[in-house]
Amino acid sequence: MAGLNVSIAFFFFTVGLCEVIRKLSKRIFPPWMYICLVAELLSSFQMCTCCLELKMLREIGPWGGGFGADVNLTLLFLLFLVHGASFDGASANPSVSLQEYLALDSSFGATVTKVLAQFLGMEAASIFTKQYWSRELTDFHMIQNLMARSCSSSLGTSASHGIFVEATCSFFFQLVILRLQNSSSVYRIPIVALTVTALTYAAAPFTGAFFNPALAFAVTFSCSGNSFVEYMQVYWLAPITGMLIAFFVYQGNIPRIFQKNLLYNHKNKYRIPKGKVNPDINEKRRKAEKTISCSRPTERTE
C-alpha cells in the first residue's frame, strides 16, 4: 500500500501545482490568452500526468501491489471529478476543441491555439512524469523504469477493431458532453466522470480507452508494436470521426459546414399573432441571442 499512497500524494501534488499556477496566471495574462493557451496547457499537463501514473498502477498494481481494477477505476472516477472541478472551462481534448469550432463557438485561431497547447501540455507531462519515475520512490517506479525501456503499445487488438472501439468511445463521450453542456456542474461533472470510467472499463483492454488524440500521442505513440499510420488511424482519425457523428446526431447539422438541419424539424413553440410584425423587435431578439451565445463561457471538460 506504500506505493499506492505515494501515487495518491503525487496526484494531490500535481493538481495543487496546476491550481496554483492557474490562480497566478489569471492575474498575469489577459483573459483570451488564459482561456485559449494557459488553461488548456495546464489542464492537459494535469490530465496526462495523472493518467500516466494511473496507467502505471493499472499495469503493475495487480501483481506488484495486490490491488486490482476496482482500485484503478475508483481512482479514475475521483480524478475526473477533480479534473472537472478544476479545469476552469478547458477541455484538454482536441476532439472537443474541434467540436466547438464546428459549432461556431470558437474561431479558427483560438482552436489552433488550444490544440497546440493541449499537445504541448501532454508532452511536458510525459517528460515530467518520467523524471518523477526516475527518482524510484517506490518499487512500482523501479519496475516502471525497467519496463519503459521497451514499452509496449496500448493497442491490444487489430487496427480495424481499435478504430471501431475508439470511435465508439468518442461518440458516446461527445454525446454526453453535448447533452450536458448547459447543465449545472453539480450534475455534469459526476456524469462525465462516470461516463469516462465506464468507457475505460469497457475499452481499456483493447485500445487503452483514450478517445483523446493528444493524450494518446503522449502516452503510446512512442511505444513499439504498431506503425505511426496505425496509431494515427486509431487514436486520431477514429476519435474525430466519432465526434463528428455524435455532433451530427445531436445537432442535425454541422453549422461550420452547412446550416440545414437534416435530422430534426424545429418548430416554433410560440404562436405568432396575425398581423404586421414589428421587424425591430425581431432584430433586437436576434442580437440579444447572439450576444448571449458569444459571451457565455464554455464549461466543457474531457
Side-chain angles (χ1 to χ4, degrees):
M1 291 297 293
L4 181 60
N5 292 334
V6 171
S7 294
I8 293 175
F10 178 67
F11 294 145
F12 276 105
F13 171 78
T14 301
V15 174
L17 176 64
C18 292
E19 193 63 21
V20 169
I21 299 177
R22 285 189 188 95
K23 299 296 184 183
L24 295 176
S25 299
K26 284 184 178 180
R27 301 179 180 180
I28 298 174
F29 298 102
W32 66 268
M33 182 177 291
Y34 173 79
I35 294 172
C36 295
L37 181 62
V38 180
E40 290 291 347
L41 193 150
L42 289 173
S43 299
S44 300
F45 177 89
Q46 177 178 319
M47 175 183 286
C48 186
T49 301
C50 294
C51 286
L52 282 170
E53 183 73 3
L54 195 60
K55 180 176 180 290
M56 182 271 298
L57 291 177
R58 185 176 69 240
E59 294 175 348
I60 302 175
W63 56 271
F67 53 87
D70 54 340
V71 175
N72 289 287
L73 291 174
T74 301
L75 288 174
L76 178 65
F77 176 74
L78 295 175
L79 283 172
F80 269 85
L81 284 180
V82 175
H83 292 339
S86 63
F87 272 13
D88 202 12
S91 66
N93 190 328
S95 296
V96 177
S97 297
L98 180 58
Q99 182 267 314
E100 293 173 351
Y101 171 73
L102 295 175
L104 303 178
D105 291 336
S106 179
S107 65
F108 178 78
T111 302
V112 171
T113 303
K114 288 180 180 180
V115 172
L116 291 177
Q118 289 159 0
F119 275 92
L120 181 61
M122 299 286 184
E123 281 299 302
S126 180
I127 297 172
F128 173 77
T129 307
K130 290 177 181 178
Q131 289 296 319
Y132 159 68
W133 286 340
S134 67
R135 303 287 180 178
E136 296 187 353
L137 299 179
T138 68
D139 293 339
F140 291 168
H141 297 154
M142 180 183 66
I143 298 172
Q144 174 62 34
N145 286 333
L146 295 174
M147 294 172 58
R149 298 172 185 174
S150 57
C151 68
S152 58
S153 171
S154 297
L155 184 58
T157 185
S158 64
S160 58
H161 186 215
I163 291 172
F164 173 77
V165 171
E166 284 292 305
T168 302
C169 289
S170 179
F171 172 80
F172 285 109
F173 174 73
Q174 293 287 344
L175 273 184
V176 172
I177 293 293
L178 289 167
R179 180 64 182 84
L180 300 176
Q181 59 184 336
N182 296 321
S183 301
S184 171
S185 59
V186 175
Y187 305 103
R188 175 174 44 81
I189 293 174
I191 294 175
V192 171
L194 184 61
T195 301
V196 172
T197 304
L199 292 174
T200 301
Y201 173 77
F206 304 108
T207 63
F210 294 106
F211 44 94
N212 184 326
L215 181 61
F217 181 79
V219 173
T220 197
F221 269 50
S222 60
C223 297
S224 60
N226 297 90
S227 66
F228 186 79
V229 174
E230 289 176 327
Y231 283 139
M232 286 182 59
Q233 292 173 342
V234 175
Y235 295 114
W236 286 3
L237 296 181
I240 292 174
T241 301
M243 177 273 295
L244 290 173
I245 297 174
F247 186 53
F248 179 71
V249 169
Y250 178 82
Q251 188 86 5
N253 67 339
I254 300 179
R256 183 69 66 174
I257 302 176
F258 61 93
Q259 295 292 331
K260 184 178 180 180
N261 196 311
L262 302 180
L263 298 181
Y264 311 112
N265 182 20
H266 294 284
K267 296 181 179 180
N268 193 348
K269 62 181 179 180
Y270 301 105
R271 296 183 61 185
I272 301 176
K274 296 181 179 181
K276 185 178 180 180
V277 179
N278 188 347
D280 294 335
I281 296 178
N282 291 333
E283 183 66 21
K284 290 179 180 179
R285 181 180 297 174
R286 285 195 295 268
K287 289 183 178 180
E289 291 175 352
K290 184 176 180 181
T291 302
I292 293 173
S293 63
C294 292
S295 62
R296 182 172 53 202
T298 302
E299 294 183 350
R300 298 171 184 161
T301 61
E302 138 49 13

